[in-house]
């Protein structure tokens, strides 16, 4: 992972990252985000803890970064007296870190700040040393007290320029008239089904109704969550649930005739619509697609910048409306207001406390206001920041519930480090055609089945049109019997059965994943990639990967790596015949971690990461396959070609896909 909670409580087995973050970062409801109990903007959250002794919980850097400010707290006896003790004992140790993080499969650089306040201790190695680099998980201090409670303040914020980099905009809702961003891309997908979208009936993607069972009469907003989809529609300014599917597995196949040519495939997704469930082709030009990188508002993301008043009171109509609802989740809210820790703007931000208002009916006395001002002065540090940091955080700044941003950034960790020129899900190639040739056209194929007899060229043709469909499949079954033994032998029969069903689409099977995972070419490929990454880290002294590092890894893989394929003795387990070489491959790097070990005797740096492979090959024959590769001399191969390409049969080819992951360390 590249971002983690400030206190690293153990993550339970199989615990989702989001659940872990929410569990380890509970919030004091009186000091939550984005407003506190008196209606003032609050840029972070107060996280309670149970430390009461001298050994407080260690607070850690949530991500790699550079310390831009760190102050050692006043002695513990000072926290019990004014100005720190305004409404209870308060520690004033704090650490501000600037983080620069790559986000997305094809990454862009995003800069944000983390602030940890009310610390009992701050580590000496980062005190008053601007520019000190810290790693994710490195201890920066310990938890303390605020307002007489065992708690600490934690917040994440960024500039407007960086918010645009993060979510593609710095105001308003997602522009649904525009397509989703192509960079960065990560996480879940989101669809807009416009009014007039055709939805088709069927319990499975196979054999859908010829005519749509429904044509939408309103726009439907879809959240694709892998195993299910959720549908919402817009009622006024709010998104209301329509329903959700269960086991909404995608079905990818050749482009549907109505939209043929715009893409290399169609993708059918099961959705709920008002009145039922059905399948929709989300690759249609009418359907727009986004990812988590676009922060869609129907996923709950709300950009709040409608408070134009200069003070620190929350005068946002958006927030006030949300507060009136019960159990509003402010985790996905992103709010624009001034940084709290600039003492020079204190009177501008807080003079409203001295006048009657809805949040504070009893005006604050001058004496109480002065005490609050002295308390703020003891905690403020903006004037001590480097000039470039002040420029990034001056004026109105975008603030997050830190848990929401952390969960989002963790989704963006996966990197695409290699992709073949051939694209995934390509149903437009010659070997994916079916039912397109006449008998005469098929009989004309074959370059190696010509022999010379007494100076005259004769053709020996194994394309036998006297056989029935069953006899052609029997020929393929015979091929499977004589060429496949061992653990992976069932795969060739699984593929022939799918071909016989005439389903098309994509075949995924755990045995195929296992075959790739355990193959010698895969192990060689992974070993080479490991060496490439080790070399990169040795050169950059085991610092976090930058954009140029990712680019170098990609180039080195292209030059040095032989991709997994079944090109050796796999003729004897059926994989050399059915797959042999592969058509398209993507390799991802995720769950990446740099590890430092310091025993006092030696200091060691290492890394741990997961390589994830997506590999596709076509179970189909093209014209070249029966012209010069000797396959035209094999009767069962000719049967395959006839079954697929003969216009009277037209059995659909399909794509074999393998997905597997391997951990590497070095």
């Amino acid at each position: 992972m590249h971002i983690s909670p400030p206190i690293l409580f153990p993550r339970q087995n199989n615990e989702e990252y989001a659940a872990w973050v929410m569990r380890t970062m509970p919030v004091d409801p009186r000091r939550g985000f984005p407003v506190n109990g008196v209606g003032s903007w609050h840029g972070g959250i107060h996280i309670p803890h149970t430390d009461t002794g001298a050994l407080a919980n260690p607070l850690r850097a949530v991500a790699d970064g550079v310390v831009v400010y760190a102050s050692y707290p006043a002695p513990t006896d000072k926290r019990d007296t004014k100005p720190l003790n305004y409404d209870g004992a308060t520690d004033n140790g704090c650490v501000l870190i600037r983080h620069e993080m790559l986000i997305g499969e094809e990454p862009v650089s995003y800069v944000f700040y983390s602030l940890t306040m009310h610390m009992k201790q701050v580590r000496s190695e980062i005190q008053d040393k601007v520019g000190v680099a810290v790693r994710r998980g490195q201890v920066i201090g310990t938890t303390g007290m605020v307002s007489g409670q065992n708690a600490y303040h934690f917040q994440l914020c960024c500039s407007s320029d960086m918010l645009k980099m993060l979510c593609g905009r710095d105001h308003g809702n997602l522009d649904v008239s525009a397509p989703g961003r192509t960079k960065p891309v990560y996480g879940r997908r989101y669809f807009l089904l416009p009014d007039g979208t055709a939805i088709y009936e069927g319990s499975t993607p196979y054999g859908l109704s010829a005519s749509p069972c429904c044509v939408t009469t309103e726009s439907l907003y879809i959240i694709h969550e892998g195993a299910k989809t959720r549908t919402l529609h817009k009622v006024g300014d709010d998104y209301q649930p329509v329903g959700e599917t269960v086991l909404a597995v995608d079905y990818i196949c050749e482009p549907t005739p109505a939209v043929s040519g715009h893409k290399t495939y169609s993708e059918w997704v099961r959705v709920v619509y008002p009145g039922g469930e059905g399948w929709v082709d989300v690759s249609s030009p009418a359907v727009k697609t986004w990812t988590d990188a676009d922060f869609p508002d129907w996923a709950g993301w709300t950009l709040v910048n409608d408070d134009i008043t200069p003070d620190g009171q929350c005068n946002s109509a958006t927030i006030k409306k949300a507060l009136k609802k019960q159990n509003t989740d402010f985790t996905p809210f992103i709010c624009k207001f001034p940084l709290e820790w600039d003492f020079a703007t204190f009177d501008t931000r807080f003079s409203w406390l001295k006048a009657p208002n809805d949040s504070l009916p009893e005006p604050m006395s001058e004496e109480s206001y002065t005490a609050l001002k002295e308390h703020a002065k003891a905690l403020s540090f903006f004037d001590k920041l480097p000039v470039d940091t002040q420029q990034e955080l001056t004026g109105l700044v975008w603030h997050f519930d830190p848990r929401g941003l952390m969960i989002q950034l963790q989704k963006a960790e996966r990197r695409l480090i290699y992709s073949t020129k051939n694209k995934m899900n390509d149903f437009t190639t010659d070997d994916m055609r079916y039912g397109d040739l006449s008998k005469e056209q098929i009989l004309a194929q074959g370059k190696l089945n010509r022999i010379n007899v007494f100076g005259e060229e004769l053709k020996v043709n194994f394309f036998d049109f006297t056989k029935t469909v069953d006899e052609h499949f029997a020929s393929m079954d015979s091929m499977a019997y004589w060429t496949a033994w061992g653990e992976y032998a069932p795969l060739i029969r699984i593929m022939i059965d799918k071909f016989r069903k005439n389903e098309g689409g994509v075949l995924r099977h755990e045995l195929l994943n296992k075959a790739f995972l355990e193959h010698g070419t895969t192990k060689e490929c992974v070993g080479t990639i490991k060496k490439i990454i080790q070399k990169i880290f040795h050169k950059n002294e085991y610092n976090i990967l930058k954009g140029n590092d990712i680019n170098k890894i990609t180039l080195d893989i292209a030059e040095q790596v032989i991709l997994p394929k079944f090109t050796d003795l796999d003729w004897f387990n059926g994989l050399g015949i059915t797959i042999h070489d592969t058509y398209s491959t993507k390799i991802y790097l995720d769950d990446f971690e740099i590890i430092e070990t310091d025993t006092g005797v030696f200091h060691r740096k290492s890394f741990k990461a997961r390589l994830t492979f997506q590999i596709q090959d076509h179970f189909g024959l093209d014209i070249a396959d029966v012209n010069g590769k000797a396959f035209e001399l094999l009767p069962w191969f000719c049967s395959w070609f006839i079954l697929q390409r003969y216009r009277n049969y037209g059995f659909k080819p399909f794509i074999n896909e393998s997905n597997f992951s391997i951990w590497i360390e070095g």
Side-chain angles (χ1 to χ4, degrees):
M1 70 186 73
H2 59 178
I3 189 166
S4 55
I7 297 181
L8 283 178
F9 292 115
R11 187 172 172 182
Q12 299 170 0
N13 291 338
N14 301 319
E15 185 175 20
E16 293 289 337
Y17 178 85
W20 178 52
V21 168
M22 298 300 286
R23 178 174 63 83
T24 60
M25 298 176 67
V27 178
D28 180 347
R30 299 168 300 169
R31 300 290 182 90
F33 174 87
V35 294
N36 61 21
V38 294
S40 180
W41 285 114
H42 189 231
I45 58 175
H46 282 200
I47 302 176
H49 61 87
T50 57
D51 295 326
T52 56
L55 298 176
N57 268 327
L59 290 168
R60 302 173 186 270
V62 296
D64 289 5
V66 174
V67 175
V68 293
Y69 179 72
S71 68
Y72 196 80
T76 53
D77 60 334
K78 296 292 184 181
R79 71 183 182 186
D80 296 324
T81 59
K82 293 184 178 181
L84 290 178
N85 186 349
Y86 169 71
D87 56 355
T90 300
D91 288 301
N92 68 335
C94 74
V95 176
L96 180 68
I97 303 174
R98 184 180 190 270
H99 306 276
E100 183 174 358
M101 181 179 291
L102 296 179
I103 57 174
E105 293 181 0
E106 298 180 60
V108 299
S109 181
Y110 169 61
V111 173
F112 66 99
Y113 288 86
S114 69
L115 173 65
T116 310
M117 291 281 296
H118 308 308
M119 300 168 66
K120 183 185 295 184
Q121 297 173 325
V122 173
R123 293 295 289 263
S124 59
E125 60 265 29
I126 64 173
Q127 293 174 33
D128 303 321
K129 296 176 183 176
V130 173
V132 173
V134 291
R135 295 199 186 279
R136 183 195 66 80
Q138 180 176 333
V139 176
I140 57 174
T142 57
T143 54
M145 296 188 71
V146 53
S147 300
Q149 304 293 321
N150 289 318
Y152 61 97
H153 172 99
F154 184 71
Q155 75 181 77
L156 300 178
C157 60
C158 74
S159 66
S160 285
D161 287 344
M162 284 297 107
L163 188 69
K164 287 182 182 179
M165 187 67 72
L166 178 68
C167 62
R169 63 189 188 277
D170 64 352
H171 64 279
N173 298 329
L174 177 65
D175 180 4
V176 295
S177 68
R181 293 197 288 173
T182 58
K183 188 177 181 180
V185 170
Y186 60 85
R188 294 179 299 189
R189 290 183 301 160
Y190 302 81
F191 306 111
L192 169 59
L193 311 185
D195 177 7
T197 299
I199 299 178
Y200 293 81
E201 191 173 21
S203 58
T204 70
Y206 306 110
L208 297 178
S209 56
S211 300
C213 63
C214 168
V215 176
T216 59
T217 57
E218 63 176 327
S219 294
L220 298 178
Y221 299 84
I222 309 298
I223 303 175
H224 189 283
E225 298 181 331
K228 67 178 181 180
T229 61
R230 286 193 287 138
T231 303
L232 302 96
H233 63 165
K234 204 166 185 179
V235 180
D237 293 330
D238 296 327
Y239 293 92
Q240 300 293 335
V242 175
E244 65 179 42
T245 63
V246 178
L247 298 176
V249 180
D250 293 2
Y251 175 64
I252 295 173
C253 62
E254 69 273 9
T256 51
V259 294
S260 180
H262 75 278
K263 278 188 176 182
T264 58
Y265 63 95
S266 283
E267 180 181 3
W268 294 90
V269 172
R270 190 166 181 82
V271 301
V272 171
Y273 62 89
E277 284 189 29
W279 297 88
V280 62
D281 183 2
V282 295
S283 67
S284 166
V287 176
K288 290 188 173 62
T289 303
W290 299 270
T291 72
D292 273 319
D294 295 291
F295 286 63
D297 35 299
W298 62 96
W301 292 106
T302 305
L303 273 61
V304 181
N305 64 338
D306 59 348
D307 183 355
I308 60 174
T309 57
D311 59 39
Q313 185 180 24
C314 175
N315 294 301
S316 162
T318 303
I319 297 297
K320 289 184 176 181
K321 178 182 176 182
L323 286 170
K324 290 180 180 178
K325 299 179 181 178
Q326 289 187 346
N327 302 318
T328 298
D329 178 14
F330 285 101
T331 305
F333 278 61
I334 309 173
C335 302
K336 192 175 186 180
F337 52 86
L339 194 71
E340 299 171 59
W341 315 107
D342 182 3
F343 183 68
T345 64
F346 180 86
D347 286 326
T348 300
R349 289 184 290 117
F350 290 108
S351 291
W352 61 273
L353 292 171
K354 295 189 289 184
N357 59 82
D358 294 338
S359 299
L360 195 68
E362 185 69 29
M364 183 175 283
S365 68
E366 193 65 40
E367 181 181 1
S368 295
Y369 181 81
T370 300
L372 175 62
K373 188 172 183 178
E374 289 300 313
H375 177 67
K377 185 176 182 180
L379 297 175
S380 297
F381 55 83
F382 187 82
D383 59 319
K384 301 180 179 68
L385 298 178
V387 174
D388 54 348
T389 303
Q390 289 187 16
Q391 291 174 344
E392 287 190 338
L393 297 180
T394 195
L396 300 178
V397 179
W398 288 98
H399 297 79
F400 306 81
D401 183 312
R403 302 166 301 171
L405 180 61
M406 291 170 67
I407 292 168
Q408 187 78 352
L409 291 178
Q410 183 59 24
K411 295 179 185 178
E413 181 184 25
R414 188 158 104 151
R415 306 279 175 264
L416 178 64
I417 58 173
Y418 179 76
S419 180
T420 54
K421 291 182 180 179
N422 290 339
K423 302 302 182 183
M424 294 285 168
N425 304 321
D426 189 350
F427 285 83
T428 64
T429 57
D430 186 61
D431 61 359
M432 297 304 288
R433 295 187 180 187
Y434 58 94
D436 62 324
L437 299 178
S438 67
K439 175 180 177 179
E440 292 71 26
Q441 288 173 313
I442 293 175
L443 289 172
Q445 305 305 317
K447 292 181 178 179
L448 298 183
N449 56 353
R450 292 172 171 85
I451 60 175
N452 192 292
V453 180
F454 302 116
E456 183 178 352
E457 185 180 75
L458 299 177
K459 189 170 185 179
V460 181
N461 208 314
F462 293 98
F463 295 105
D464 188 351
F465 281 87
T466 67
K467 290 182 178 180
T468 65
V469 167
D470 287 341
E471 287 172 332
H472 281 304
F473 272 110
S475 180
M476 293 189 72
D477 290 336
S478 176
M479 172 266 293
Y481 176 81
W482 289 108
T483 60
W485 297 277
E487 180 181 7
Y488 305 122
L491 281 170
I492 191 170
R493 298 192 180 278
I494 291 169
M495 294 177 196
I496 293 174
D497 287 345
K498 182 174 177 63
F499 186 49
R500 194 191 305 261
K501 291 177 182 177
N502 204 16
E503 296 173 338
V506 179
L507 171 67
R508 303 179 182 93
H509 198 281
E510 281 303 316
L511 190 57
L512 182 59
N513 296 341
K514 188 173 186 290
F516 267 106
L517 177 63
E518 297 180 348
H519 200 264
T521 55
T522 300
K523 294 176 181 178
E524 291 177 10
C525 172
V526 171
T528 304
I529 294 175
K530 177 180 174 180
K531 291 178 182 178
I532 289 170
I533 295 176
Q534 282 178 320
K535 187 175 180 180
I536 292 289
F537 275 115
H538 182 73
K539 186 175 180 180
N540 77 0
E541 298 180 342
Y542 282 79
N543 286 308
I544 190 170
L545 291 173
K546 301 294 185 182
N548 58 338
D549 295 324
I550 300 294
N551 293 337
K552 184 67 166 61
I553 290 172
T554 300
L555 291 173
D556 287 349
I557 290 175
E559 293 175 357
Q560 302 175 30
V561 169
I562 297 175
L563 297 173
K565 59 189 67 178
F566 299 101
T567 54
D568 50 19
L569 297 179
D570 301 301
W571 294 104
F572 298 101
N573 62 19
L575 293 172
I577 293 173
T578 53
I579 295 179
H580 192 60
D581 205 347
T582 54
Y583 182 78
S584 55
T585 300
K586 286 186 175 182
I587 306 174
Y588 297 90
L589 180 71
D590 59 6
D591 286 321
F592 192 86
E593 187 168 3
I594 299 172
I595 304 167
E596 292 194 44
T597 305
D598 192 347
T599 65
V601 178
F602 66 90
H603 186 80
R604 180 175 179 268
K605 294 181 181 179
S606 60
F607 72 88
K608 180 180 180 182
R610 182 171 60 183
L611 295 175
T612 298
F613 289 76
Q614 182 185 18
I615 302 175
Q616 287 188 348
D617 189 56
H618 298 170
F619 188 92
L621 301 179
D622 59 24
I623 297 296
D625 284 328
V626 291
N627 284 279
K629 297 180 180 179
F631 295 135
E632 60 261 50
L633 304 179
L634 301 173
W636 59 264
F637 209 88
C638 293
S639 287
W640 182 355
F641 192 82
I642 290 172
L643 288 167
Q644 176 185 333
R645 304 299 291 261
Y646 184 33
R647 63 180 51 162
N648 287 4
Y649 299 155
F651 283 86
K652 294 180 181 179
F654 55 88
I655 292 174
N656 287 312
E657 180 176 296
S658 176
N659 295 275
F660 60 92
S661 297
I662 299 177
W663 285 94
I664 59 173
E665 298 181 29

